[in-house]
Amino acid sequence: MDAATLGAVATMVVGLAAAAAALIGHRGANAAQQSGAVLGGYSTLVDNLQEERDKLQTKLVENERLLAAAYAELASERADKAALAGQITTLTAENLRLRERIVELGGQPT
């Protein structure tokens, strides 16, 4: 082989090696880009989940507040109901006593 042929063959080998290196480098870049996209997507997903969790926690706190207010109102209404029941018992007993007293005094109970 003469020097020109060796030079041409060497140039082709170097060219093929450079092409192979470029191809491998491009695949590595694609892998890194895909990896970055996956990590970016994961980060977005985590952010969305954290926002949703925060909204749900805020809603839970509001529901707990409303529930406590409803229980307080119910307790108040039960206390009012108990007071009214006591007042009814007292008035009924007083009416019975007054009717008995009217009869004792010679009147007719209404």
Side-chain angles (χ1 to χ4, degrees), residues 63-76:
N63 283 353
E64 291 289 341
R65 185 191 65 77
L66 292 173
L67 183 61
Y71 274 124
E73 184 177 345
L74 180 62
S76 174

Side-chain angles (χ1 to χ4, degrees), residues 12 18 26-27 32 37 51 53 58-59 87-88 108:
M12 282 193 257
H26 184 66
R27 284 186 180 174
E51 285 178 24
R53 182 195 62 211
T58 301
K59 180 66 176 167
Q87 187 178 7
I88 288 169
Q108 292 292 324

Side-chain angles (χ1 to χ4, degrees), residues 93-104:
E94 185 177 355
N95 284 348
L96 181 61
R97 187 187 61 79
L98 290 173
R99 283 191 177 100
E100 289 173 355
R101 185 69 178 141
I102 289 172
V103 170
E104 287 176 3

